[in-house]
Amino acid sequence: MNRKDVMGRLPDIKGILWDLDNTLYPLTADFADHFNHRMADVARECGVEVPHPELVALAEKSLQQHGYSGRVFIERFGLDRVALHYRIHEIVDETILERTTGLIEQFEQVPLDHAIVTHGSFDWALRVLEHIGLGRWFPRHRIHALETFDFHRKSESRRPFTEGLASLNLSEKNVVMVEDTLHNLKVPYEMGLLTVLVTQGQPPPRDLPGYVDIVCEDALALVQMMDKVRTKPL
């Protein structure tokens, strides 16, 4: 889709499906380090008899290579992925997270419906949204977590997005999907949603796939864009 077609669709957007982690807030180095240490704690709880510093290093490498600190412990040590999913989100401290400055105020300016589609847990999403000040825009029935869509991966299945759309009661042509993970945008693009890649200040890939319609620095930049198309002619 060319830029003119993309911009032409923006005034018709009525809702946004948001990924959560590193999308509605920036994933800082401090939080990543905290998460990796807690993942090492969980691995020890589950009987992985490796020195804690080595477990942290494994978690860090897993995060860098796969985008998830726990993958190495599932594949190499046989930890149960469902149990790990719940336990890690129980003990990670959401109060370490940083808010995106100005995002609350911008949400207040733009009359859109919002839903979450995340690989995190439902409880984690609730805690994070309250901490970053966005909870009022995301009623419980519009929070879709990995366990609520039966562990279907966003990169492989339509189910997370169909459930998100149903909670908004909107069609694909009126909804944007916002992600920080590139390959998670392919399925919603094929479904007909506008797709947005959030970079959090990092340079986008040189060869950006055709299934990415818009690239924004962060969530604030996207909502500001939505505000402008509603107040100014294209």
Side-chain angles (χ1 to χ4, degrees), residues 61-79:
K61 186 175 181 181
S62 183
L63 179 63
Q64 293 169 1
Q65 292 183 341
H66 307 295
Y68 178 43
S69 304
R71 181 165 170 175
V72 64
F73 301 109
I74 295 168
E75 295 181 349
R76 186 181 301 184
F77 299 100
L79 269 62

Side-chain angles (χ1 to χ4, degrees), residues 188-219:
Y189 177 85
E190 291 171 347
M191 293 173 62
L193 286 80
L194 273 181
T195 57
V196 178
L197 177 68
V198 167
T199 65
Q200 298 294 0
Q202 298 300 311
R206 285 186 177 181
D207 299 321
L208 201 64
Y211 55 78
V212 177
D213 292 314
I214 298 170
V215 177
C216 286
E217 180 173 351
D218 55 18

Side-chain angles (χ1 to χ4, degrees), residues 50-234:
V50 174
H52 195 270
E54 293 182 26
L55 293 174
V56 173
L58 285 171
E60 291 174 349
K61 186 175 181 181
S62 183
L63 179 63
Q64 293 169 1
Q65 292 183 341
H66 307 295
Y68 178 43
S69 304
R71 181 165 170 175
V72 64
F73 301 109
I74 295 168
E75 295 181 349
R76 186 181 301 184
F77 299 100
L79 269 62
D80 182 81
R81 70 185 184 109
V82 174
L84 182 60
H85 166 77
Y86 285 114
R87 182 58 180 150
I88 186 61
H89 289 105
E90 286 177 356
I91 67 171
V92 171
D93 183 3
E94 74 279 2
T95 65
I96 298 173
L97 300 175
E98 295 183 6
R99 293 180 175 181
T100 298
T101 303
L103 186 57
I104 296 172
E105 294 77 8
Q106 196 63 54
F107 262 57
E108 292 173 339
Q109 296 298 315
V110 185
L112 293 168
D113 291 324
H114 302 272
I116 292 289
V117 182
T118 178
H119 284 168
S121 74
F122 184 84
D123 179 68
W124 170 250
L126 286 176
R127 286 157 43 208
V128 170
L129 289 168
E130 286 305 311
H131 172 67
I132 64 178
L134 297 178
R136 59 184 141 143
W137 284 281
F138 296 92
R140 295 174 71 95
H141 74 282
R142 289 184 179 170
I143 298 176
H144 308 278
L146 189 60
E147 69 270 23
T148 68
F149 45 77
D150 199 27
F151 291 84
H152 286 240
R153 308 297 297 184
K154 289 186 281 184
S155 60
E156 301 170 353
S157 173
R158 292 191 172 199
R159 179 168 171 177
F161 310 106
T162 56
E163 292 190 6
L165 288 169
S167 71
L168 291 172
N169 196 27
L170 294 170
S171 69
E172 294 87 346
K173 65 180 181 179
N174 299 123
V175 177
V176 171
M177 178 66 212
V178 190
E179 266 279 356
D180 73 305
T181 302
L182 190 62
H183 59 256
N184 286 344
L185 290 173
K186 188 173 187 295
V187 172
Y189 177 85
E190 291 171 347
M191 293 173 62
L193 286 80
L194 273 181
T195 57
V196 178
L197 177 68
V198 167
T199 65
Q200 298 294 0
Q202 298 300 311
R206 285 186 177 181
D207 299 321
L208 201 64
Y211 55 78
V212 177
D213 292 314
I214 298 170
V215 177
C216 286
E217 180 173 351
D218 55 18
L220 177 63
L222 173 65
V223 184
Q224 287 174 332
M225 182 186 301
M226 302 302 298
D227 191 16
K228 288 180 181 178
V229 299
R230 280 164 167 68
T231 58
K232 296 180 181 179
L234 293 176

